[in-house]
Amino acid sequence: MMQNILVTGADGQLGNEIRNLASNYNNLNFIFTDVNNLDITNINDVEEFFTSQPIDYIINCAAYTAVDKAESNYNSANLINVTGVKNLVALSKKYSTKLIHISTDYVFDGTNHKPYVETDATNPDSVYGKTKLEAEKIILNSAINAIIIRTSWLYSSFGNNFVKTMIRLGSERNELNVIFDQIGTPTYAFDLGKAILDIVEQSTQNNIKFSQGIYHFSNHGVCSWYDFAIEIMKLANINCKINPIESKDYPTPAKRPFYSVLNKSKIQNTFNISIPYWKDSLRQCIKKII
Ligand SMILES: NC(=O)c1ccc[n+]([C@@H]2O[C@H](COP(=O)([O-])OP(=O)(O)OC[C@H]3O[C@@H](n4cnc5c(N)ncnc54)[C@H](OP(=O)(O)O)[C@@H]3O)[C@@H](O)[C@H]2O)c1
């Protein structure tokens, strides 16, 4: 049976990737929205969508994602990342809709030495991380049928991100300084979008259960921002020297975790999804950008 999927924040990186992937999923009918026609902070706005048609799933791609700006804009970050999610939860409960929500590796403080599993203690250092963690708690406490996917270092051919910034700056300058002491894993938003849609499709066909809870998803592998930048220059064929620097020499308003590699075993074992290696996905994305 055809299922209606409401995608919020669909003009962002992940939302755009889901738009592109949508035509591969024949039994899913997508309703793509962004703040101009569905502001998740306005509960009446959201309810209108539920009263005009049945919504089977929400994929919430809407968020306040400006990590540094959030430090001085708590109210805006809180409104979108917390109040917005509260609204989606309230309506999911009222209309028995399943929710897929995206969270972040920045809920961790980065003191781990091995990849984070879903049950590891959270301790966000940034306003952004705190608001995203608050939203996770609201979802979990509501006991609605929801999947929370924490991801990291998201990039895409859409929107603004590290890959596009490096390509632009690398073409303008002979050398760039990039931090080497923050370790994580890049995630191609295309791969995350595909994982989400595969989970939804399989659960609608009853191949797998929509098992609620928190899951980690990034690409496979590990790198620093420095290694990431070097690989971007290599794949984009840009001759720009990358110098490794320490975070202390690149001060930012928000404190970020030094280590935020995510363990993906749970999502792989629960759902039948494949996860590409980060360099392979980066190659695919750069092909689209240049
Ligand atoms: N980017 C990363 O590195 C990263 C890392 C880990 C986790 N995540 C999480 O992954 C998810 C997707 O991230 P992304 O990079 O695709 O984000 P994004 O590109 O910033 O897209 C977010 C979208 O939500 C829209 N939006 C803002 N306020 C809204 C509102 N009140 N109602 C409806 N839509 C609203 C934004 O519109 P405007 O642009 O007009 O504000 C934008 O189109 C987010 O939950 C994010 O927290 C991201």
Side-chain angles (χ1 to χ4, degrees), residues 12-14 34 38-40 61-63 65 102-103 128 132 151 154:
Q13 301 192 79
L14 179 60
D34 205 282
L38 200 177
D39 177 351
I40 62 165
C61 303
T65 56
I102 318 303
S103 193
Y128 168 74
K132 296 293 287 185
T151 191
L154 209 58

Side-chain angles (χ1 to χ4, degrees), residues 41-96:
T41 69
N42 180 335
I43 193 152
N44 297 328
D45 247 32
V46 190
E47 186 144 28
E48 258 176 46
F49 276 85
F50 282 80
T51 48
S52 58
Q53 69 237 284
I55 306 289
D56 302 295
Y57 292 79
I58 301 177
I59 302 175
N60 181 30
C61 303
Y64 185 102
T65 56
V67 176
D68 287 317
K69 271 196 198 150
E71 292 299 306
S72 50
N73 285 293
Y74 170 80
N75 288 345
S76 307
N78 189 65
L79 182 66
I80 299 167
N81 292 348
V82 180
T83 309
V85 172
K86 240 183 228 169
N87 292 342
L88 298 180
V89 166
L91 292 164
S92 298
K93 197 169 214 168
K94 186 167 169 186
Y95 293 92
S96 301

